[in-house]
């Protein structure tokens, strides 16, 4: 792309952004990150994913984002590093343990986990404090998926395949529950629906629903019917006070999205073909997530340099073409993409309270926090 052509694209996007964003802030990491995890309402943890030594940082979001009244009077307009450290290898998965100053990571090289202390007011260093051994240590080259919860003691759910998912007490390493399955499907996600129920989403579209209060076998929901080609699937479950209202979204590498009800996971409530570019995707490339504050909205990233927001409440039972409610293209038009190498979004996360605020990280090391304006007629 010619430099003048790129400048025109950047200028057009900048003018457009004045009308489409309430807030937009940019931070640049030394390398790309696949993880963004909330550690509080105003702080997130990010870490590098290159094969060499990487930074692991806790960032405080710009205070201007949370200012009330006249934001122009707020002096704090930048991200701030509040705690930091280094990892010996990549960080491919990271989860904060609720109610603690602890995060758990996986390096993608084995299925074991690394445990980190984020530090407190008396210091700014993030230190590794221990590890968690996997149920089967040599099962996958893709590493483990992680979910965390705070019960009477901190606990992590982890595994690389459906056959080695385990709930472990973090302080002692004691196994508390194991998922018993007959298959060994690589996992794309693990998520808690409630304190006792969790979902294990597999890359072939299988979803296991396990209730840890019973000794019954987990419920298996097979993948939605596809057009016959080999596809990968990514899964997320909506969370709320009532698990019976939980919805499951499954997204394929061909852009097919299927919504189902937790109570009848095999039946499709609605489905759509998303407006995403088709390309070869790896398991770690794509992410789909439910909004915690906008009913029926999902965010999709990894197919390109954009993050797309879709309103699933307007979808029907019959397949249909779906256009995004909003598309964040800030990473794709950043100066780092001018060298001809396409920028892809590596991760995104919704703010837990602010309905239209998200963070996203891209392959060029950029991290954006943005509050978008819904200018459509659809109610989300």
């Amino acid at each position: 792309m010619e430099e003048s052509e790129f400048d025109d694209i950047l200028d057009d996007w900048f003018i457009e952004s004045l009308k489409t964003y309430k807030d937009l802030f940019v931070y640049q990491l030394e390398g790309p990150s696949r993880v963004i995890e909330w550690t509080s309402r105003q702080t997130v943890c990010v870490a590098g994913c290159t094969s060499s030594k990487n930074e692991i940082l806790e960032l405080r979001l710009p205070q201007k984002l949370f200012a009330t009244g006249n934001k122009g009077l707020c002096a704090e307009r930048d991200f701030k590093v509040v705690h930091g450290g280094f990892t010996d290898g990549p960080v491919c998965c990271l989860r904060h343990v609720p109610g603690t100053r602890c995060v758990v990571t996986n390096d993608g090289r084995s299925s074991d986990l690394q445990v980190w202390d984020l530090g407190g007011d008396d210091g700014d260093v993030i230190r590794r404090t221990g590890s968690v051994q996997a149920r089967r240590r040599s099962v996958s080259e893709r590493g483990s998926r992680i979910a965390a919860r705070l019960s009477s003691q901190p606990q992590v759910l982890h595994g690389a395949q459906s056959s080695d998912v385990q709930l472990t007490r973090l302080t002692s390493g004691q196994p508390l529950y194991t998922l018993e399955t007959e298959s060994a499907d690589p996992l794309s996600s693990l998520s808690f629906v409630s304190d006792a129920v969790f979902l294990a989403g597999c890359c072939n579209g299988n979803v296991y629903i396990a209730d840890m209060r019973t000794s019954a076998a987990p419920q298996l929901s097979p993948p939605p019917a596809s057009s016959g080609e080999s596809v990968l699937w990514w899964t997320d479950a909506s969370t709320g006070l009532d698990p019976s209202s939980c919805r499951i979204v499954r997204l394929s590498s061909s852009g097919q999205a299927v919504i189902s009800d937790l109570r009848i996971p095999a039946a499709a409530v609605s489905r759509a073909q998303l407006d995403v570019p088709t390309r070869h995707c790896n398991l770690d490339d794509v992410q789909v997530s439910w909004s915690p504050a906008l009913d029926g909205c999902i965010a999709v990233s990894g197919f390109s340099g954009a993050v797309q927001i879709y309103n699933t409440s307007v979808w029907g039972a019959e397949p249909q073409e779906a256009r995004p409610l909003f598309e964040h293209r800030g990473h794709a038009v950043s100066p780092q993409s001018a060298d001809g190498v396409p920028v892809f979004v590596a991760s995104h996360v919704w703010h837990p309270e602010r309905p239209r605020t998200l963070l996203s990280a891209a392959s060029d090391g950029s991290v954006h926090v943005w509050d978008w304006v819904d200018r459509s007629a659809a109610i989300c």
Side-chain angles (χ1 to χ4, degrees):
M1 181 184 297
E2 296 291 337
E3 184 176 352
S4 59
E5 182 182 357
F6 175 79
D7 289 341
D8 290 340
I9 294 174
L10 184 60
D11 289 343
D12 290 344
W13 179 81
F14 177 75
I15 297 300
E16 177 189 354
S17 69
L18 297 177
K19 299 179 292 183
T20 54
Y21 295 90
K22 291 183 180 178
D23 289 294
L24 174 61
F25 301 93
V26 176
Y27 184 83
Q28 191 66 35
L29 300 171
E30 290 191 359
S33 176
R34 292 181 183 170
V35 295
I36 308 175
E37 179 76 348
W38 293 101
T39 55
S40 74
R41 179 177 173 270
Q42 298 188 19
T43 55
V44 295
C45 196
V46 295
C49 59
T50 59
S51 59
S52 58
K53 196 172 186 179
N54 291 275
E55 286 185 307
I56 179 169
L57 304 173
E58 186 179 34
L59 304 176
R60 177 176 291 119
L61 271 59
Q63 291 301 297
K64 184 179 178 182
L65 182 68
F66 302 95
T68 58
N70 188 349
K71 292 191 175 187
L73 299 178
C74 181
E76 294 291 337
R77 305 185 181 191
D78 298 317
F79 287 80
K80 180 180 180 181
V81 177
V82 289
H83 296 91
F86 291 95
T87 70
D88 292 331
V91 175
C92 297
C93 188
L94 183 151
R95 289 291 178 266
H96 174 242
V97 181
T100 73
R101 290 289 296 160
C102 170
V103 295
V104 181
T105 64
N106 177 258
D107 58 13
R109 297 170 172 173
S110 76
S111 47
D112 290 349
L113 308 183
Q114 300 81 46
V115 184
W116 303 82
D117 181 356
L118 292 176
D121 296 335
D122 56 344
D124 58 4
V125 178
I126 297 176
R127 294 184 175 89
R128 181 172 171 179
T129 58
S131 61
V132 175
Q133 184 173 325
R135 184 177 171 186
R136 296 182 178 90
R137 304 191 68 180
S138 58
V139 294
S140 175
E141 297 179 354
R142 294 188 176 99
S144 287
R145 309 302 171 188
I146 311 170
R149 70 170 186 172
L150 180 64
S151 185
S152 56
Q153 295 185 11
Q155 300 171 1
V156 290
L157 185 71
H158 55 107
Q161 298 178 345
S162 56
S163 59
D164 59 39
V165 175
Q166 174 177 292
L167 182 70
T168 302
R169 180 171 289 136
L170 198 57
T171 52
S172 64
Q174 176 188 359
L176 301 174
Y177 177 87
T178 56
L179 183 69
E180 301 299 333
T181 66
E182 296 181 355
S183 62
D185 303 323
L187 295 176
S188 61
S189 65
L190 286 171
S191 56
F192 283 104
V193 176
S194 68
D195 286 341
V197 179
F198 70 85
L199 266 63
C202 304
C203 68
N204 62 3
N206 282 338
V207 172
Y208 291 91
I209 305 171
D211 189 335
M212 295 182 288
R213 296 168 297 187
T214 73
S215 58
Q219 180 182 0
L220 170 61
S221 173
S226 62
S227 57
E229 73 276 17
S230 177
V231 296
L232 294 174
W233 290 88
W234 296 270
T235 307
D236 191 40
S238 64
T239 57
L241 297 176
D242 183 8
S244 64
S245 64
C246 172
R247 288 157 297 171
I248 303 170
V249 57
R250 277 180 271 204
L251 173 65
S252 77
S253 52
S254 61
Q256 179 187 1
V258 180
I259 310 297
S260 56
D261 191 298
L262 178 66
R263 294 165 294 186
I264 316 176
V269 175
S270 59
R271 61 179 71 216
Q273 178 64 41
L274 304 189
D275 183 23
V276 295
T278 56
R279 72 178 186 95
H280 173 73
C281 294
N282 296 315
L283 185 59
D284 293 324
D285 290 347
V286 175
Q287 183 182 1
V288 57
S289 63
W290 285 102
S291 166
L294 290 176
D295 187 33
C297 284
I298 59 171
V300 174
S301 67
F303 289 98
S304 66
V307 182
Q308 296 179 328
I309 311 297
Y310 288 89
N311 180 9
T312 69
S313 63
V314 300
W315 298 354
E318 296 298 323
Q320 64 184 75
E321 299 287 333
R323 298 283 298 174
L325 185 67
F326 183 83
E327 187 171 55
H328 174 62
R329 299 185 295 110
H331 295 285
V333 299
S334 63
Q336 287 76 15
S337 64
D339 59 2
V341 178
V343 173
F344 289 91
V345 174
S347 182
H348 73 262
V349 64
W350 295 84
H351 192 278
E353 299 173 3
R354 296 170 60 92
R356 292 182 174 84
T357 299
L358 293 91
L359 275 87
S360 51
S363 56
D364 62 351
S366 59
V367 176
H368 294 181
V369 55
W370 38 283
D371 190 330
W372 55 282
V373 176
D374 180 11
R375 298 190 296 169
S376 73
I379 298 176
C380 191

